[in-house]
Structure formats: structure tokens, C-alpha cells
Amino acid sequence: MNQAHRVYRKIVVKVGTNVITGKDGRLDPAIIADLTRGIAELSAAGVKVILVSSGAVGAGRSIVKPSGSMTTVEARQVLAATGQIHLVNAYADRFAEHGMLAAQILVTREDFRDRQHYLNMRTCLNALLQQKIIPIVNENDAVAVTELMFTDNDELSGLIASMMQVDAHIILSNVDGLFDMSGEEKKLIREIDPASKNFSQFIRPTKSEFGRGGMLTKCNIAHKLSRLGITVHIANGTTPGILQQIAGGEEVGTRFAAQKPKHGRKQWIAHSEGLEKGAVIINEGAQSALTSGERASSLLPVGVTGVEGSFSKGDVIRICSESGKVIGYGMACCSDEKARAAMGKKGEKPVIHYDYLYIKPE
């Protein structure tokens, strides 16, 4: 077993629409065959693999033409509902050739807002992996519309990687990785330090033809995961044997080096932007205590100057300064009613305990 196989025991592989579909939107059997072969080889070597795959809407375009009277949302729902069957069957048939079973899991953003739903989903994925079944995860585009939608499957796969506390997250696109575009010639950036922040300077504002995601989104998610202790690779999924190359430790694509892993709950909370149920406003003293980094600090009611929204104990809430800046996120130790009643008082129990608190990096 090679070095990378020993290091990566559990991974998420995210496949973009433009990796597995051609210009006409039809699924590419050769690419799907190569990817499933790569996942089968990793699985045989003892690596647990979760596949997050886009392509349902793209696959739907090749088998159905929504009528012109349909709204954009209706057309997308029809394409997703019909295309998802086509997509999963294509994977399942290829995995069967390697003696492997595949399972389908469709999710929405709402599934990540509720801690119990979150834990149920994690239990399901762990059970499938224990049975050596490959979970194929996708957004439930047939019902996920407007505010229920993920930005793209890069966001979804990042949430899955964090939830499952994987060793590595492999994002497969139709480009070789992140390029430095600042000079006359573009250069592939082989490794990104977790301390790096401004990726927009390297990226031209273009999007894939059929997918919703862009390179800036991929980099921001990769950066966040690397800071949570997960190594991220962005590579070209149309390159034959790409998964074997990454697992073999070859220098392909762009690698985001990982920092020391964080506690599982902190990983969940760190990915809660847009999923929070409410918010608390804190004063400068509380903000200084939370962001100084000198010692572990919980958020106490004495530092709270305002409470917004309706939330219960265990819900994720946003932490804001009095100027409106989002400082971080945390899991509430009490309801919004109790938080309002204790607001500004000394000697009260924490609104958010340190173990369930995530402060955004500056």
C-alpha cells in the first residue's frame, strides 16, 4: 500500500457536471467508467469513499425537453427528477462491474440546519461505508429551490466532508487546478497554505457551461476545510487515472494543506453560514474576549446586547458585533426567550459554550 493510501483512510470525491458530461450535456461513459474504476481501486485498498456527484440536470437535458410553457424552476425540477435516475444508474452499473454496490442519498440545505437531521445523515453514511457500499450524494434538485438550494455541489460536498471528518476532499473539475493568472503566463499553483486568503487575484470570473460552481467557490470551501484539518485537492476529473494519481501522492492539481483537525461539532458549526436560526448581538468587551485567542471563552449573557430571530437550545445562531459584522457562529445553549431574559446580566449560564463556538478568521 502506498504512502497516500496509508494517510487517506476516508475521503469525499466531488465530481462536477462538466467532468462527466460532454458539450451536449450527455453523460460520458468513458469518464464515469474511469472514475468508478479509481474509486473501486481505492476501496479495495481500504479507503472509505463518499461520492458527491453533480450531473442530474445535465443528464436530464439529454433525455427530456421541458415544454416552453414551463417556468425555469419547473424545467429544472423536471430535468433533475428524470436525470437523477439516469445519473445514478450509470454509476451503479459501473460499480457493479467491480462487484460493488452503490446507494443514493439526496439532500437539501434544510437537512444541515437541524442537528438531529445532521446526525441521522451521518449515521446513514457511516452505515453504508461500514458495508463497503459507495454512497452517491447529490442535491435534491427536484424539491430544492431558491433559499433551499446549495450554492452548488461544492458547498454540499464541503459540508459532507466536514460532517464525516474525512482525511481528504477531492474536488474534480474540468480544469487542472488553481492557476496564478497575475503574470504573462498562467502557472498551476501546486500547494496552498491554510493562511492564504485572497484567491480572487488568481481567478478569472468565468463559470462552467452547465454547472453552477466556480473556481472561487471551490477555493473558499477548500480554504475553510483545510483550516478545519481536511486536506483538499482540486484537480482535472477528465484526466485518466486522476484518483489513483492523487492517492499515489503524485503532484497533480492544487493541494490545500491541512491544519490540525478540529472537534466534529466545531466543524459542523463552521459550515453553518446561511443555515443559522437566529442571531445575538454582542458588545465590544465580549467581541474582544472571543476573538483575542488568548484563552478559551464562552459567550456569556452579560456581553449580549441584542437577540434576533426564534431559536431553541441546540440550534446554530449567528454572532454579530454591534456594527453588524458577523464574528462567528455557535450552537445555542438556550432558547431565544431565555437569551433575551438573561441579556446583559452577570452570573448567568453561557448563551454559547466555547466547545460549540466557531469564530471566523480575520
Side-chain angles (χ1 to χ4, degrees):
M1 188 176 290
N2 63 38
Q3 182 180 4
H5 280 151
R6 290 197 299 270
V7 174
Y8 296 159
R9 306 306 304 164
K10 185 163 52 176
I11 66 174
V12 165
V13 175
K14 186 269 174 178
V15 180
T17 301
N18 279 349
V19 172
I20 58 173
T21 58
K23 291 182 178 179
D24 59 356
R26 294 178 181 274
L27 295 177
D28 188 325
I31 296 293
I32 291 178
D34 185 74
L35 290 173
T36 50
R37 180 168 55 250
I39 292 172
E41 289 182 10
L42 289 177
S43 182
V47 182
K48 295 178 179 178
V49 183
I50 299 166
L51 174 61
V52 178
S53 180
S54 304
V57 174
R61 285 192 180 96
S62 67
I63 55 179
V64 66
K65 292 184 179 180
S67 67
S69 61
M70 284 186 173
T71 65
T72 301
V73 169
E74 289 171 337
R76 181 178 178 83
Q77 289 175 313
V78 167
L79 292 172
T82 53
Q84 185 64 36
I85 297 174
H86 193 43
L87 174 67
V88 171
N89 283 343
Y91 278 120
D93 290 345
R94 299 289 82 75
F95 279 123
E97 293 174 0
H98 301 282
M100 300 180 69
L101 287 174
Q104 174 182 264
I105 299 178
L106 298 176
V107 300
T108 68
R109 283 178 66 94
E110 194 68 19
D111 294 316
F112 290 88
R113 293 186 68 182
D114 181 84
R115 181 70 177 169
Q116 193 57 54
H117 279 205
Y118 181 90
L119 294 175
N120 290 343
M121 190 165 25
R122 189 173 70 183
T123 298
C124 176
L125 288 169
N126 277 325
L128 290 169
L129 293 175
Q130 188 178 13
Q131 291 295 120
K132 300 187 184 304
I133 298 170
I134 302 297
I136 303 175
V137 186
N138 196 3
E139 180 173 15
N140 193 348
D141 287 319
V143 300
V145 293
T146 59
E147 72 278 359
L148 294 180
M149 292 179 69
F150 294 99
T151 304
D152 47 55
N153 265 359
D154 295 317
E155 182 188 5
L156 168 58
S157 63
L159 287 165
I160 295 290
S162 175
M163 176 176 70
M164 298 302 292
Q165 296 181 262
V166 300
D167 304 306
H169 181 210
I170 300 173
I171 302 175
L172 298 181
S173 181
N174 60 345
V175 295
D176 293 333
L178 177 61
F179 286 86
D180 185 348
M181 312 291 285
S182 59
E184 292 184 5
E185 295 184 7
K186 66 177 184 179
K187 294 182 180 178
L188 180 63
I189 303 171
R190 291 295 183 186
E191 183 149 333
I192 299 288
D193 188 273
S196 301
K197 293 179 182 179
N198 185 18
F199 302 108
S200 59
Q201 61 181 315
F202 303 127
I203 299 166
R204 288 176 180 167
T206 58
K207 275 195 169 186
S208 58
E209 186 175 353
F210 290 120
R212 298 205 311 268
M215 185 56 73
L216 184 57
T217 301
K218 290 175 174 58
C219 288
N220 287 335
I221 290 168
H223 178 238
K224 180 179 284 188
L225 289 174
S226 69
R227 291 178 63 87
L228 293 173
I230 298 171
T231 301
V232 182
H233 298 267
I234 298 178
N236 195 328
T238 65
T239 302
I242 188 65
L243 291 176
Q244 294 94 321
Q245 292 175 47
I246 293 172
E250 295 183 32
E251 275 201 346
V252 291
T254 300
R255 175 178 178 268
F256 287 71
Q259 287 185 338
K260 183 179 178 181
K262 283 184 169 55
H263 189 276
R265 272 199 179 95
K266 282 187 179 282
Q267 289 197 351
W268 172 55
I269 293 165
H271 286 271
S272 296
E273 185 173 353
L275 305 176
E276 66 274 10
K277 297 285 185 72
V280 289
I281 315 301
I282 64 175
N283 60 28
E284 290 185 6
Q287 181 177 347
S288 177
L290 295 180
T291 58
S292 66
E294 294 178 2
R295 63 185 179 87
S297 298
S298 298
L299 175 59
L300 301 174
V302 67
V304 177
T305 60
V307 178
E308 298 177 353
S310 177
F311 54 86
S312 303
K313 180 180 179 180
D315 287 340
V316 172
I317 57 176
R318 188 172 61 252
I319 305 164
C320 301
S321 69
E322 292 182 317
S323 66
K325 178 183 177 182
V326 178
I327 297 166
Y329 300 87
M331 191 165 74
C333 294
C334 61
S335 66
D336 61 289
E337 291 93 343
K338 289 186 177 180
R340 287 187 177 92
M343 189 170 62
K345 296 179 180 179
K346 294 182 179 180
E348 299 284 340
K349 292 182 179 180
V351 176
I352 301 173
H353 190 275
Y354 172 76
D355 288 340
Y356 312 122
L357 178 67
Y358 172 76
I359 300 301
K360 295 180 67 175
E362 292 293 329

